[in-house]
Amino acid sequence: MPIYTTPVLNINLKKLVENYNLLKELSAPAIAAAVVKDDAYGLGAAEVVNALYAAGCRHYYVAHASEGVLIRPFAPAAEIFVLQGVGEDSLAAVKEARLTPVICSPDMLKFWNCSGDKAIRPAIQIETGLNRLGFTEKDLEKLTAEELQGFSYVLSHLSCADEAAHFMNTHQLENFHRLKARFFPKTPATLSASDGVFLGDEFHFDMTRLGAAMYGINTAPYRPNQMQNILELKAPVLQVKPLPKGEFVGYSATFRAPKEMKIAIVSIGYGDGLPRSLSSRGNVVFYEENKPHFCPILGRVSMDNIICDVSALEKVQTGDFGYLINDDYTVDDIARDAGTIAYELISNLGKNKRFIKSYLA
Amino acid sequence: MPIYTTPVLNINLKKLVENYNLLKELSAPAIAAAVVKDDAYGLGAAEVVNALYAAGCRHYYVAHASEGVLIRPFAPAAEIFVLQGVGEDSLAAVKEARLTPVICSPDMLKFWNCSGDKAIRPAIQIETGLNRLGFTEKDLEKLTAEELQGFSYVLSHLSCADEAAHFMNTHQLENFHRLKARFFPKTPATLSASDGVFLGDEFHFDMTRLGAAMYGINTAPYRPNQMQNILELKAPVLQVKPLPKGEFVGYSATFRAPKEMKIAIVSIGYGDGLPRSLSSRGNVVFYEENKPHFCPILGRVSMDNIICDVSALEKVQTGDFGYLINDDYTVDDIARDAGTIAYELISNLGKNKRFIKSYLA
């Protein structure tokens, strides 16, 4: 009987590129930019950009300039936009890696005008209803004609694009059209992330910014996911043992066995980025006779282990692997069980060093 | 006006060592081992071990063998225990870095007996009521006298030690005494992590395993924290702007302004490991006239930004820093607001590469 101790994360770059290509088709003729901020949603920006660049992607979005520096070697001829913009702590990185800051406030524009690289044309973010980063209409009124013409792109961001019928979509679209017509009539524009792509052509403008959907997340949950799952997360069973009736399980003894049960201790926990909110809520998927069995997590998720109910399984034993993410239990499924969104889930999971991590290209 | 874009995480190793020393005093004469698994709860195992080793700590716990390999150069003469034990995927690492696996199941013992390094005396984990990893009494009955004498330590783990009056504490203590007397009368023993240290001398045995409390977490929440906070997390304000009455904030438009307000966009989000469950629940602390002001997070936490209500502040502006963790808003405070425990919070935060991260030694 083989024994293993280490959780395994497999990332399918081939399917990621296929997702990108489908989103690119849906976006055309708009440019399809790839959003690889937050270390490509935790999955490894270097590897992801390497694959996308080979597939022809020449426009990228990161949040921080430091992330742009990291990917520049893998995308030498690409334009890399920095969504958090630029400050004293990131100016050197912007210049060094020839990044395009997205200027988000009048203060930041002043800073860029004083300290920026004249060879770089920044983009500008404007406020259309999210009330996050971006110039308000009043801010824009104070800019000179020369300043307004200095931007390579005008950008805004939708707040509710994952709900096709949400009133905010048309509200923001109207605001964007109005502000663009008034201040940026000739500047290329970008409004939509993945979820906006599915809202239709009128949301695409000159460039779409493809993130979550590329990573397999269903950003249009009002209909079946058109994207392929790109992740497989599994962890080995360290021990299978009987749980006598009346015994407690895990920290704070939150689960008590109502009858004699069989439990498996699986070598993964919140220290691996698995949400602790899966305590008594999530599942581990085991396969017997090629059929998936959803085995409930019992009690609290601990830092390195989870305990699950395998009473229904006949053959499970030490060394078997249980699945936390795969085609049968997707990132959206596990995120729902954890009470969060798949974006946060994969961001925390992907960065961990404890996995045996493989990329399928 | 200076502009910044990058969140900052400061880790005070001096206070961490002071916490360790206090816990060591409380544990004496038991050996005070340091738990540095999960990359030292996300804070950087190399740096943490380096500081603790200089302070005299010669016993460490990691979860995975790969973590032991990482810290071995910083603790050359230390004993490093591996809580997840050993398997085919971790045997080479155990041997290479001279680690001490904690054998947790009969199957793992068989594997170690066949493949292990005879120069390494493993430890054994036994089940006393947590129903996680560990030999059951029936498993122990099947071991030979020679096998039982082959372990350097017998280990178990408390499930409810953060509640001083919980019945599980005495229940597990009795089980541990009984099983130790029956199977391991002469083997050194370890039962308690940080929280068990505060339960009193009878829980200390020959070694305590100091983790959470060393990192500043209050593991005895039934009384004021005796530990010092070791973390400071702050993020820059990218923009301050008015929020007109009736406007919505953030994804899914979950917050609507009941009156004209003033908001600050702060450059940190769940992509930095800040829990998304802080949406409309957490705070950002700003200082005016040396007084802390707790400014509520409005709407959803996004990947790179949070939006908070700074209507009560007079002077806040772009380039100011808001605090997410410090002595006024501790890891336990923010974890409570996020509906989780500080262990998970710092584990996810610490691993992110986007911070400007500094260690104060």
Side-chain angles (χ1 to χ4, degrees), chain A residues 266-275 301-306 349 354:
Chain A
V266 181
S267 188
I268 189 168
Y270 64 76
D272 303 289
L274 196 72
V301 171
S302 19
M303 185 176 266
D304 313 304
N305 292 287
I306 49 177
L349 274 171
R354 308 207 294 197

Side-chain angles (χ1 to χ4, degrees), chain A residues 86-276:
Chain A
V86 59
E88 295 192 8
D89 54 350
S90 44
L91 182 65
V94 163
K95 291 181 177 178
E96 172 200 335
R98 296 168 288 116
L99 309 175
T100 304
V102 180
I103 306 295
C104 65
S105 73
D107 294 325
M108 191 178 282
L109 181 60
K110 268 182 222 158
F111 172 76
W112 179 254
N113 285 343
C114 289
S115 316
D117 183 335
K118 303 295 173 211
I120 296 172
R121 270 187 100 198
I124 183 171
Q125 180 156 193
I126 64 171
E127 179 59 70
T128 56
L130 178 60
N131 282 300
R132 209 173 56 181
L133 294 174
F135 284 67
T136 63
E137 188 158 12
K138 281 190 182 159
D139 293 331
L140 293 172
E141 285 167 354
K142 293 175 190 156
L143 299 188
T144 65
E146 193 193 340
E147 282 177 322
L148 288 171
Q149 285 161 25
F151 299 103
S152 61
Y153 273 91
V154 54
L155 177 151
S156 195
H157 193 67
L158 298 168
S159 64
C160 302
D162 58 340
E163 296 177 60
H166 203 291
F167 69 89
M168 283 297 289
N169 296 327
T170 45
H171 174 64
Q172 288 194 262
L173 182 63
E174 283 165 16
N175 278 340
F176 193 60
H177 272 300
R178 184 173 55 75
L179 294 171
K180 179 171 156 43
R182 180 171 173 199
F183 298 105
F184 305 100
K186 294 179 181 172
T187 309
T190 171
L191 176 62
S192 285
S194 298
D195 45 9
V197 170
F198 297 99
L199 295 179
D201 292 350
E202 71 271 33
F203 285 86
H204 296 177
F205 292 89
D206 301 291
M207 179 191 284
T208 59
R209 310 186 301 269
L210 310 170
M214 193 171 70
Y215 304 107
I217 296 171
N218 189 358
T219 61
Y222 47 86
R223 64 182 190 186
N225 198 359
Q226 288 184 260
M227 299 295 119
Q228 297 179 79
N229 168 50
I230 70 162
L231 294 179
E232 181 183 75
L233 175 64
K234 59 183 182 177
V237 172
L238 285 177
Q239 192 173 14
V240 176
K241 58 185 174 186
L243 179 68
K245 180 179 174 179
E247 285 275 299
F248 296 91
V249 169
Y251 284 120
S252 299
T254 59
F255 178 81
R256 189 173 198 183
K259 56 180 184 204
E260 161 98 18
M261 299 170 76
K262 186 166 65 172
I263 56 176
I265 323 301
V266 181
S267 188
I268 189 168
Y270 64 76
D272 303 289
L274 196 72
R276 184 170 166 275

